[in-house]
Amino acid sequence: QKEVEQDPGPLSVPEGAIVSLNCTYSNSAFQYFMWYRQYSRKGPELLMYTYSSGNKEDGRFTAQVDKSSKYISLFIRDSQPSDSATYLCAMSKSGGSYIPTFGRGTSLIVHP
Amino acid sequence: EADIYQTPRYLVIGTGKKITLECSQTMGHDKMYWYQQDPGMELHLIHYSYGVNSTEKGDLSSESTVSRIRTEHFPLTLESARPSHTSQYLCASSEYGQPSGYGYTFGSGTRLTVV
């Protein structure tokens, strides 16, 4: 079993829809949870970062962490065609020396 | 504007050739990383460095080597390229002391094809 599971999609939604992207994980030692966005032919860029459980909101984006279920989510409200990209979840243990584990990424397509 | 630069962006090379993928960053970050990314697959860590003259192998060192002689420069060398090395290679950097994964800055990648 992989430490981090993420459905690769693609997920296709109409413009304006609410998008839900998810990852599950098996390692209870993970404390830091991140979402990266990767446009085609570009490197990933950090989108959201959460420590431990709870919610974090930034504009149209909300990250949720449920450590009891080992489940994290990224919600995108009022999705735009410019949100079309691959979204990778990543998580790591506490401590600066731990290398994060990345999910496979979910391809999102927002059509006008 | 990118603060981490990878060259070349695309490379097609024959089997058995020696190649070096370049990565430079202008942010003064101590930590640097090389990842391999195939379509629809996880990022696999190849090598990482926590500072000058410090290098470590990741899960997938894939017959490659790295050096860190200067803070800003972290080249990746394949001594003898094989078709199995065909992939996208991503370089990243982060500040020392930040939680792992937070504040990673990635380059745009090098797409390598070995024929």
Side-chain angles (χ1 to χ4, degrees):
Chain A
Q1 181 188 7
K2 294 181 180 179
E3 278 194 308
V4 178
E5 297 278 2
Q6 185 176 11
D7 187 335
L11 178 63
S12 182
V13 302
E15 183 176 356
I18 296 174
V19 175
S20 173
L21 304 168
N22 312 292
C23 289
T24 59
Y25 63 96
S26 58
N27 193 335
S28 59
F30 286 144
Q31 295 285 342
Y32 296 95
F33 303 91
M34 292 140 286
W35 286 95
Y36 282 82
R37 178 175 62 195
Q38 184 175 21
Y39 289 114
S40 179
R41 286 185 280 278
K42 295 288 187 182
E45 56 177 334
L46 182 66
L47 194 60
M48 298 283 286
Y49 162 78
T50 308
Y51 173 71
S52 194
S53 286
N55 293 1
K56 186 172 184 179
E57 187 173 323
D58 184 2
R60 296 185 295 112
F61 299 89
T62 300
Q64 283 187 355
V65 175
D66 182 349
K67 293 188 70 179
S68 62
S69 302
K70 296 189 178 68
Y71 188 87
I72 70 171
S73 300
L74 177 70
F75 297 96
I76 306 174
R77 292 184 299 278
D78 187 25
S79 56
Q80 303 295 311
S82 58
D83 295 327
S84 298
T86 297
Y87 291 80
L88 298 94
C89 64
M91 45 200 80
S92 67
K93 304 173 190 176
S94 182
S97 61
Y98 288 107
I99 304 295
T101 301
F102 285 84
R104 297 169 64 181
T106 298
S107 175
L108 172 66
I109 301 167
V110 181
H111 51 86
Chain B
E1 184 177 340
D3 296 310
I4 184 164
Y5 304 92
Q6 290 188 242
T7 57
R9 287 295 311 276
Y10 303 93
L11 179 63
V12 181
I13 198 162
T15 298
K17 297 292 186 182
K18 177 179 178 179
I19 56 172
T20 296
L21 307 183
E22 300 289 346
C23 177
S24 294
Q25 50 97 2
T26 60
M27 297 166 285
H29 285 172
D30 290 304
K31 296 182 180 178
M32 295 190 74
Y33 314 82
W34 275 104
Y35 284 90
Q36 185 172 330
Q37 184 182 37
D38 293 310
M41 302 300 291
E42 299 88 345
L43 293 176
H44 288 290
L45 182 67
I46 309 171
H47 293 280
Y48 60 100
S49 167
Y50 285 168
V52 171
N53 295 325
S54 156
T55 61
E56 300 287 344
K57 290 187 176 183
D59 301 328
L60 192 75
S61 56
S62 66
E63 297 114 17
S64 59
T65 59
V66 292
S67 63
R68 190 86 183 278
I69 299 171
R70 290 180 287 141
T71 298
E72 63 271 21
H73 194 216
F74 191 43
L76 174 75
T77 297
L78 290 172
E79 293 293 332
S80 179
R82 297 205 306 261
S84 60
H85 293 137
T86 295
S87 186
Q88 167 145 281
Y89 292 83
L90 290 167
C91 181
S93 70
S94 65
E95 285 189 64
Y96 194 85
Q98 285 189 337
S100 295
Y102 173 71
Y104 264 31
T105 301
F106 282 90
S108 293
T110 293
R111 167 64 64 182
L112 173 66
T113 302
V114 183
V115 298

